[in-house]
Amino acid sequence: MDDFNEADFIIQQREPFNAEPLPSRLIERYLTPQALLYVRSHGVIPHLADDHAIRFGGNGLRDADLTLAQFKAHFAERRIVATMQCAGNRRADLQSAGKTNGDPWEVGAIGNVEWTGVSLAEVLSELGIGDRREGYIACTAADADKVEGETHPYEISISLQRAMTGDVLIAWAIGGEPLSPAHGAPMRLVVPGYAGVRSVKWVTRIELRDEPSAAPIQARDYKLFPPDEDGRDVDWSKGMVIEAMPVNSAICVPRNGEIVGAGPLAVTGYALAYGRRVARVDLSIDGGQQWAQAQFIDQETVPDAWQRWRCDIDVAPGQNEIVVRAVDDAGQSQPERAEDVWNFAGYLSTAWHRITVDVR
Ligand SMILES: Nc1nc2c(c(=O)[nH]1)N[C@H]1C(S)=C(S)[C@@H](COP(=O)(O)O)O[C@H]1N2
Ligand SMILES: [Mo]
């Protein structure tokens, strides 16, 4: 992988390649550079040519093959800041409540990215979408997803309504740098506020359809089931398609299990509430009896971006548990216990984030 320093990463899988940055590196900056952005790939990373074209069409949409050069030449360039987060971020915490499918992501399957691209809505308008808003936009990629030994092209759909909100991008850069192969070069979809799975990398085709995609990644994976569903003989149609993401927060420094000195300790991390603002972030060192309010590090409050926070606490020698939870501006917060949100696929791990530090 290009521009990638393995020492900064926790490798979850080598083939397909999946890795998250060390939390201490992740939280250094408000904007996550491409070199510190987690990589979540379901199959082998494709290497597409720079003049690769995305094929548009379907259901009366005008057929067109558009390359990166054509997007740049014919549409307004947009830059937006949006946090992308895998629905499996913090899965390791759910796994402490019970076994789940998937890799044990810690807190790093997330990044606050400045994306450059064009608005999908503008492109669809140019191709004759008019005032139609019913239906789905299916987005097919060049890679394949392996499900129970069978491979299927990676294909996601979002509602046409969502596709037309203006902030969904066909993006080609992160922090002004062209996308690397691992992050979707030459072009990927970005759906702000939605689980990362909808932000399709290596896009080859964008099609207007009457029905959502039947590809397993859309129709079975990334669906939320209640804790009493054990994952055997699942009726996939009953799962909730994970799109918008719930309020969440995590401690990045210190890292779970770290040895720290007794006395004052600066704790830092992130919180996000997507469409809403994070109203406050609280920390507790007595399991949630008393709470200290954290301070926000970043003044910006972009709706789909994270906010970093810092809280100075005091720790005494021994094993200390530190707990964080965020509250959004509608007073919505995170569940206390991982058990209550456990699900067999290990998605949306939002319980209070707990770490243990060994204070000496
Ligand atoms: N074509 C394709 N797009 C994809 C994926 C993939 O495996 N193939 N993974 C998805 C998932 S689950 C996530 S969380 C994000 C991760 O994007 P990143 O690897 O650039 O961080 O890409 C999404 N888009
Ligand atoms: Mo993901």
Side-chain angles (χ1 to χ4, degrees):
M1 267 200 35
D2 35 10
D3 199 19
F4 174 82
N5 183 358
E6 210 170 292
D8 291 332
F9 280 80
I10 301 162
I11 309 290
Q12 292 286 355
Q13 273 188 73
R14 295 227 169 242
E15 204 55 64
F17 191 75
N18 285 282
E20 64 184 296
L22 289 171
S24 56
R25 298 298 325 267
L26 175 67
I27 208 65
E28 278 170 7
R29 300 186 198 131
Y30 175 66
L31 290 177
T32 309
Q34 178 158 250
L36 285 176
L37 183 62
Y38 76 99
V39 176
R40 170 71 180 108
S41 39
H42 288 77
V44 178
I45 292 173
H47 288 258
L48 303 180
D50 293 344
D51 64 352
H52 164 78
I54 299 180
R55 174 155 289 193
F56 289 81
N59 258 355
L61 198 66
R62 195 147 47 76
D63 290 336
D65 288 322
L66 295 173
T67 63
L68 177 51
Q70 285 166 315
F71 285 119
K72 286 183 174 171
H74 301 298
F75 298 93
E77 183 178 296
R78 298 188 188 267
R79 279 186 182 229
I80 59 165
V81 173
T83 297
M84 179 173 68
Q85 184 184 191
C86 184
N89 191 30
R90 297 192 51 209
R91 179 180 282 134
D93 298 321
L94 279 181
Q95 290 180 342
S96 64
K99 196 173 161 291
T100 78
N101 298 341
D103 289 336
W105 295 98
E106 297 184 28
V107 300
I110 187 170
N112 189 45
V113 177
E114 185 199 61
W115 306 98
T116 309
V118 295
S119 161
L120 176 62
E122 267 181 52
V123 178
L124 295 176
S125 296
E126 186 62 30
L127 297 177
I129 200 87
D131 50 19
R132 293 170 67 177
R133 289 296 179 272
E134 264 168 38
Y136 299 85
I137 290 293
C139 194
T140 318
D143 61 330
D145 169 33
K146 207 169 188 183
V147 183
E148 288 163 6
E150 270 182 59
T151 53
H152 303 260
Y154 189 100
E155 186 183 85
I156 285 294
S157 53
I158 57 171
S159 70
L160 178 58
Q161 195 81 41
R162 181 70 184 92
M164 292 301 291
T165 46
D167 63 340
V168 176
L169 298 187
I170 297 168
W172 59 77
I174 290 177
E177 258 177 44
L179 292 178
S180 68
H183 292 295
M187 291 171 284
R188 74 180 298 166
L189 202 68
V190 174
V191 187
Y194 273 21
V197 64
R198 314 282 161 226
S199 291
V200 181
K201 304 192 272 190
W202 315 295
V203 178
T204 56
R205 178 148 178 83
I206 293 182
E207 202 173 56
L208 179 59
R209 295 189 190 162
D210 290 331
E211 300 293 334
S213 172
I217 191 81
Q218 176 71 36
R220 307 176 34 157
D221 293 345
Y222 292 90
K223 285 193 167 186
L224 187 67
F225 288 88
D228 65 346
E229 174 62 72
D230 65 7
R232 278 174 291 175
D233 304 319
V234 181
D235 176 353
W236 298 102
S237 70
K238 291 223 164 83
M240 183 199 90
V241 178
I242 298 173
E243 295 188 321
M245 297 279 283
V247 57
N248 209 345
S249 64
I251 296 166
C252 292
V253 176
R255 187 175 169 190
N256 191 23
E258 216 173 296
I259 298 169
V260 299
L265 177 68
V267 183
T268 58
Y270 60 78
L272 72 171
Y274 293 101
R276 299 185 189 279
R277 200 173 52 80
V278 177
R280 56 184 287 157
V281 172
D282 296 318
L283 269 79
S284 175
I285 52 170
D286 61 5
Q289 301 303 307
Q290 289 172 301
W291 297 88
Q293 191 168 358
Q295 283 167 350
F296 292 121
I297 296 172
D298 308 301
Q299 298 315 312
E300 283 144 286
T301 47
V302 180
D304 292 313
W306 72 12
Q307 273 177 292
R308 295 177 308 151
W309 52 261
R310 172 191 171 125
C311 192
D312 295 300
I313 59 171
D314 259 298
V315 286
Q319 296 287 316
N320 280 242
E321 188 194 52
I322 309 173
V323 180
V324 69
R325 68 167 184 214
V327 182
D328 73 15
D329 62 4
Q332 300 174 120
S333 188
Q334 302 173 232
E336 179 175 347
R337 305 175 334 140
E339 287 79 353
D340 298 334
V341 284
W342 180 92
N343 58 99
F344 70 87
Y347 298 128
L348 305 187
S349 177
T350 57
W352 299 357
H353 185 221
R354 298 164 192 274
I355 63 160
T356 304
V357 286
D358 183 359
V359 181
R360 298 195 179 162

